[in-house]
Amino acid sequence: MKSVTGTTAPLLSLRGIDKYYGDIHALHDINLDIAAGEVVVLLGPSGCGKSTLLRCINGLEPTQGGRIFLDGYGALGEDIGWHAARQHIGMVFQSYELFNHLNVLDNILLGPLKAQKRQRDEVEAQADQLLQRIGLYERKTAYPRELSGGQKQRIAIVRALCLNPKLLLLDEITAALDPEMVREVLDVVLELAAEGMTMLIVTHEMGFARKVADRIIFMDAGKIIEQADPETFFTAPASQRAQAFLNLMHY
Ligand code: ADP
């Protein structure tokens, strides 16, 4: 969508987001714009609010202040309901969140058929294509218990992609994986980035963050402390808190 000044509106805009869990002020006045096609990586120490921010963006957690805008749809939870918003904002979790009683294909088809009311033939063709791409087409009738952690996480990514989301939120998607499976999952994400998928990613994989990000956002204690391109952030972070964080990560 072009604005009157001819500039492109951000795909996602957060304005003044505040989030409390009881007395804990988890997010303080968060303001953030993400452009279409941009890959933004959120970094920061454990407990600083990264996961909460992702969960607020697709309405899994209510906010106590501020608004979230998705280009073309207005304010989420107001102009467009959360259920509808989640059809445009895919999310992948550390713990996969696959249904164990459904096979791979049925896990993938559930959202597109039930929530998006699409035709089975069309969605299954898309699912087949995505499964072929990640090398798991042969496992389409397998159940989650028959898959490795890396395979389950690649299926969870395909499930999110099959909704044709405008934005993908990835919350520590390799944190539960054995080291030898991390690469196969991160490679899928790198491919998506190269194809122009807009993503907001939380990760502890610093090498991956540096490679995949167009922009790094560093948070601490519920606030955005600094933002920079990855080269600048990793070689010359502006704040002492970011320097301390990178030292702690041995990076
Ligand atoms: P991060 O993802 O950066 O590790 P989180 O978003 O998980 O941080 O947590 C931010 C803060 O909110 C922390 O103080 C955490 O303890 C608190 N918190 C997160 N989830 C909950 C919850 N469901 N109930 C209460 N407090 C929570």
Side-chain angles (χ1 to χ4, degrees), residues 26-28 30 32 41-46 48-53 202 216-226 233 241-242 245:
L27 296 174
H28 295 249
I30 300 289
L32 173 64
V41 173
L42 273 181
L43 299 179
S46 180
C48 73
K50 306 178 295 294
S51 182
T52 297
L53 186 60
V202 172
I216 301 282
I217 296 199
F218 177 73
M219 290 178 65
D220 196 13
K223 296 180 184 151
I224 293 179
I225 305 296
E226 65 176 277
F233 181 80
R241 282 194 259 185
F245 170 76

Side-chain angles (χ1 to χ4, degrees), residues 16-196:
I17 299 299
D18 267 294
K19 166 72 188 171
Y20 291 85
Y21 295 104
D23 293 340
I24 298 172
H25 197 174
L27 296 174
H28 295 249
D29 189 26
I30 300 289
N31 293 289
L32 173 64
D33 286 335
I34 299 181
E38 197 179 12
V39 178
V40 175
V41 173
L42 273 181
L43 299 179
S46 180
C48 73
K50 306 178 295 294
S51 182
T52 297
L53 186 60
L54 295 195
R55 295 170 67 81
C56 288
I57 290 172
N58 77 349
L60 293 177
E61 286 289 348
T63 55
Q64 280 73 46
R67 297 167 104 191
I68 300 167
F69 299 91
L70 187 64
D71 188 27
Y73 299 92
L76 307 186
E78 298 176 41
D79 300 318
I80 174 177
W82 282 114
H83 180 74
R86 271 183 226 119
Q87 306 314 313
H88 305 298
I89 302 175
M91 185 153 176
V92 184
F93 303 87
Q94 176 178 333
S95 50
Y96 329 121
E97 307 286 336
L98 296 175
F99 291 107
N100 288 323
H101 65 290
L102 297 179
N103 70 21
V104 163
L105 186 64
D106 290 335
N107 263 288
I108 296 170
L109 298 189
L110 194 64
L113 295 185
K114 288 264 194 282
Q116 295 184 327
K117 311 274 184 235
R118 285 158 61 192
Q119 294 298 315
R120 190 179 179 98
D121 289 356
E122 177 253 327
V123 188
E124 192 165 341
Q126 185 183 2
D128 284 352
Q129 205 174 24
L130 287 165
L131 286 169
Q132 259 152 2
R133 227 186 88 181
I134 60 159
L136 288 176
Y137 177 74
E138 276 67 37
R139 308 311 312 274
K140 76 187 244 187
T141 58
Y143 284 83
R145 65 173 177 277
E146 301 169 298
L147 302 174
S148 71
Q151 289 174 331
K152 278 191 271 214
Q153 199 54 295
R154 282 145 67 206
I155 297 297
I157 294 172
V158 165
R159 179 177 59 175
L161 289 175
C162 226
L163 294 167
N164 297 320
K166 304 220 170 312
L167 168 72
L168 208 50
L169 307 172
L170 306 181
D171 192 5
E172 299 245 27
I173 63 169
T174 59
L177 298 179
D178 290 334
E180 69 270 23
M181 291 170 189
V182 170
R183 182 82 273 144
E184 70 189 41
V185 172
L186 295 185
D187 282 348
V188 174
V189 181
L190 284 166
E191 259 186 62
L192 293 176
E195 288 167 9

